[in-house]
Amino acid sequence: MIRKAVLPVAGFGTRCLPASKAIPKEMITVVDRPVIQYVVEEAVAAGIRDIVLVTSNSKSAIENHFDTHAELEASLEAKGKETLLQSIRDIVPDDVNIISVRQGEPLGLGHAVLCARPVIGDDAPFAVLLPDVLVDNGSDRPAGCDLSGMLASYAQTREAQLMVEEVDWQHVERYGIVAPADEAPEAGSAADLAGMVEKPAREAAPSNLAVIGRYALPGSIFPLLAETPPGAGDEIQLTDAIEALRARRGVQAYRMEGLTYDCGQPLGYLEATLAFGRRHATLGKDFRSLMSRYRMPEDPACGS
Ligand code: G1P
């Protein structure tokens, strides 16, 4: 059973400027909590208990968010603000550990994951969750169920798993793209891969199934990462190390059932805000009525 996860949060977040100038992009709010909290909640809901944040020197706000704030707690307690107190105490369940390691230089996603090697070790399998992407399992399915499904698939097959979804062909060059060995997997199931490539040109893409940033990997990925040379964008790519792993022991794509929002860019935050806001337990009703005031496609203020 996979109980450990690596969350790489060291990047600059240039696609979110100016919002991400002085705060990490992972701390930008979606409805009532920072985007990173959704990702941690997804991991915890799927059974993860040790979360390794790979941070950099400008990311201490993330570590603080998951730490106890004794002064604030004492103040809320003294004022009898129980609901607010509980909301900050519940950010991390008692049986979950948040550990952070530093990535001193921005050498790529593969390098960021490699920075977690001393904490994870080469023997245990682990998950990787990229916090740019929010996974929405909808209101009818349990939180974190796509991730649970993928981790269960790893437990069954012992093969590395990459969560994928179909994207528009015109967007394949933004993602790692997989080549199914045979049939593409059905939603909620996994299939063997014949290869994968990081950010291919549209003509070179083997499919339009994109890696969305959820991985289940064996510890044996670490020695492969350590010898992976810089690839696309002159960065050490996780995709390249996984391709080397595939050649040795097979890798599968797990096709998700839910939706994703790319919170590495502003429109993704807006979409996530609409999706999570309208079904929020306390704010949802008012938010829906607020939204109804903005259903004015011919509003001249909206431009064309
Ligand atoms: C990373 C991965 C890529 C994946 C993407 C998902 O790219 O390298 O394979 O498809 O995340 O968001 P990045 O967006 O960090 O450039």
Side-chain angles (χ1 to χ4, degrees), residues 37 40 44 49 51 65-67 87-98:
Q37 192 176 325
V40 166
V44 169
R49 288 296 170 270
I51 293 178
H65 185 72
F66 293 109
D67 196 2
S87 78
I88 60 165
R89 284 191 173 152
D90 288 348
I91 290 174
V92 184
D94 290 343
D95 60 345
V96 171
N97 302 305
I98 306 278

Side-chain angles (χ1 to χ4, degrees), residues 15 109 130 133 174-176 198-199 211-213 215 237 239:
R15 287 190 297 160
L109 176 60
L130 305 189
V133 177
R174 296 181 187 171
Y175 300 96
E198 182 68 16
K199 303 191 174 75
V211 175
I212 63 108
Y215 309 79
Q237 296 291 350
T239 304

Side-chain angles (χ1 to χ4, degrees), residues 9-34:
V9 294
F12 281 138
T14 44
R15 287 190 297 160
C16 293
L17 286 169
S20 58
K21 184 183 171 209
I23 59 162
K25 64 176 175 179
E26 297 82 3
M27 290 301 293
I28 296 175
T29 306
V30 170
V31 189
D32 62 351
R33 64 199 70 189

Side-chain angles (χ1 to χ4, degrees), residues 169 172-173 177-179 197 199-208:
W169 278 95
V172 290
E173 59 193 40
I177 298 291
V178 301
V197 53
K199 303 191 174 75
R202 181 179 175 153
E203 315 73 64
S207 77
N208 63 340

